[in-house]
Amino acid sequence: MQTQRTLKIALVDYENSPHISALYFEAQKLSSAEASILFFQLTGDEDTLPFFYMESLLTLFEEELPDFLLFPHTDYGCELASRLAYEKQISSLTDIRQMEQLKDETMLYKHICNMNLTGVFSTENTPCCLTIADREGDLEDRSKSDFAKILPICFGESDEAAYRPAASEPFVEENHLPHAKLILACGRGLNKKEEILRLQETAHILGGEVGCSRPVFMDGRLGAQHLIGMSGHLCAPWLCLTIGVSGAAAFLIGIQESKKIIAVNSDETAPIFSNCDIGIVGDGSLILQELQQQLEDIEHDRME
């Protein structure tokens, strides 16, 4: 009979921190009776910047090789988790609300879409860095006897402790969707990669922004910065052109303040047609392609 592999879980926090109980609470959900729960204890002044502990944290990680490292969802916890994940090129996820072990798969739950939805993520690959949201209510305090080992994360004094950016990628560009005067929004009826690329090109020519309904976002075609509706952004453009959007109530809340709404959908019974100023029944992809071509022709004529 195959036995379940014993997990090694490291909790990373200051000594006697109130966050330890929340970390331990989630660690127990992933563990069997024989699980090894370690405490990586930061030693030193709590005001010391997190990156000065990285050298010691990396050493402990390489010596102990834990399956999961749980950090509190605080400024220093998020920075330590992201720096360790970057240095070791391992997975990471922040602001975890709940954890659950199902056979060989770990389920992670966190808020998404402006905290209106709960996202469920699974991971079979370890090690993994996670930051854990604090818990409301009283949790049982943990004593030192609860941990297999208590290992110090010491303040680094070598040259390696000097500040180094964790990554060179630029910050995410500020989202202008809620303040856009013109929005081109796509739904499940316009959800192919090449169609969304054409929509983005057309929006660029017109000087507008691209939005989407929740199905497009949930399919991973566009990010949360493009999501319109109750779970996303509330917009009030001068003109909103929707293509392939059915017109669910949650989406309509996001565009109800628009001055004008033009809707394109192949289904003449789609609810969006009851909530628009101009409705066009037709193939959204073909209509978008024709619109892009007309705009490119106008742009070409201006240049001549």
Side-chain angles (χ1 to χ4, degrees):
M1 180 177 179
Q2 186 177 3
T3 59
Q4 184 177 358
R5 183 176 68 87
T6 300
L7 294 175
K8 182 182 284 189
I9 306 169
L11 316 185
V12 186
D13 200 10
Y14 287 108
E15 184 179 11
N16 299 323
S17 165
H19 299 289
I20 279 295
S21 294
L23 301 184
Y24 191 86
F25 179 76
E26 293 301 332
Q28 285 184 307
K29 294 182 181 180
L30 302 184
S31 65
S32 62
E34 296 79 21
S36 179
I37 301 180
L38 315 177
F39 182 21
F40 287 2
Q41 175 183 301
L42 289 171
T43 62
D45 188 349
E46 291 190 18
D47 293 330
T48 302
L49 295 176
F51 56 77
F52 283 105
Y53 294 102
M54 280 306 303
E55 181 184 7
S56 178
L57 178 58
L58 284 167
T59 299
L60 289 181
F61 172 82
E62 292 164 358
E63 290 176 352
E64 298 295 333
L65 295 176
D67 297 288
F68 291 95
L69 295 100
L70 307 187
F71 300 77
H73 188 65
T74 58
D75 289 343
Y76 82 83
C78 289
E79 181 167 347
L80 283 172
S82 60
R83 286 180 177 276
L84 178 60
Y86 175 78
E87 291 284 351
K88 305 306 296 184
Q89 293 297 291
I90 59 178
S91 300
S92 67
L93 196 63
T94 61
D95 201 16
I96 301 300
R97 302 283 165 162
Q98 183 180 347
M99 305 174 68
E100 184 179 13
Q101 188 68 30
L102 300 176
K103 295 183 179 180
D104 295 328
E105 193 174 25
T106 304
M107 310 304 295
L108 308 172
Y109 302 83
K110 64 172 291 180
H111 289 160
I112 60 174
C113 300
N114 293 336
M115 301 186 74
N116 289 302
L117 296 175
T118 297
V120 183
F121 303 83
S122 65
T123 177
E124 297 177 352
N125 300 322
T126 56
C128 183
C129 294
L130 307 171
T131 69
I132 307 298
D134 207 1
R135 297 290 180 271
E136 294 182 359
D138 297 329
L139 293 175
E140 184 180 352
D141 291 336
R142 310 322 310 173
S143 64
K144 292 189 176 183
S145 61
D146 291 319
F147 304 104
K149 293 181 182 179
I150 298 179
L151 304 169
I153 305 178
C154 302
F155 179 84
E157 297 181 353
S158 66
D159 294 338
E160 285 75 16
Y163 174 75
R164 290 180 293 135
S168 58
E169 289 82 1
F171 290 103
V172 176
E173 185 178 354
E174 182 181 356
N175 180 27
H176 301 287
L177 186 63
H179 310 291
K181 300 299 183 183
L182 171 64
I183 293 176
L184 279 65
C186 58
R188 180 161 283 168
L190 193 81
N191 198 18
K192 295 180 180 179
K193 183 178 180 180
E194 59 272 16
E195 293 173 337
I196 292 178
L197 179 59
R198 181 174 290 117
L199 187 73
Q200 292 173 322
E201 292 171 347
T202 304
H204 178 72
I205 294 173
L206 292 171
E209 299 289 336
V210 171
C212 70
S213 62
R214 192 169 70 175
V216 178
F217 165 68
M218 297 303 289
D219 288 345
R221 296 299 186 184
L222 286 170
Q225 68 270 29
H226 298 283
L227 181 61
I228 295 175
M230 186 169 61
S231 302
H233 300 289
L234 305 181
C235 308
W238 287 98
L239 174 62
C240 179
L241 170 61
T242 72
I243 304 179
V245 176
S246 64
F251 176 84
L252 292 174
I253 288 174
I255 63 168
Q256 63 184 354
E257 298 299 325
S258 301
K259 300 297 183 183
K260 292 288 182 181
I261 299 175
I262 300 176
V264 178
N265 199 296
S266 59
D267 180 5
E268 63 182 10
T269 65
I272 190 70
F273 288 132
S274 299
N275 298 273
C276 67
D277 299 286
I278 300 174
I280 302 173
V281 178
D283 187 318
S285 182
L286 294 178
I287 292 174
L288 177 61
Q289 188 173 351
E290 180 63 26
L291 174 60
Q292 184 185 31
Q293 185 61 55
Q294 292 290 335
L295 291 171
E296 289 177 350
D297 290 343
I298 293 173
E299 187 71 18
H300 181 266
D301 292 342
R302 285 179 178 176
M303 295 178 63
E304 289 185 342

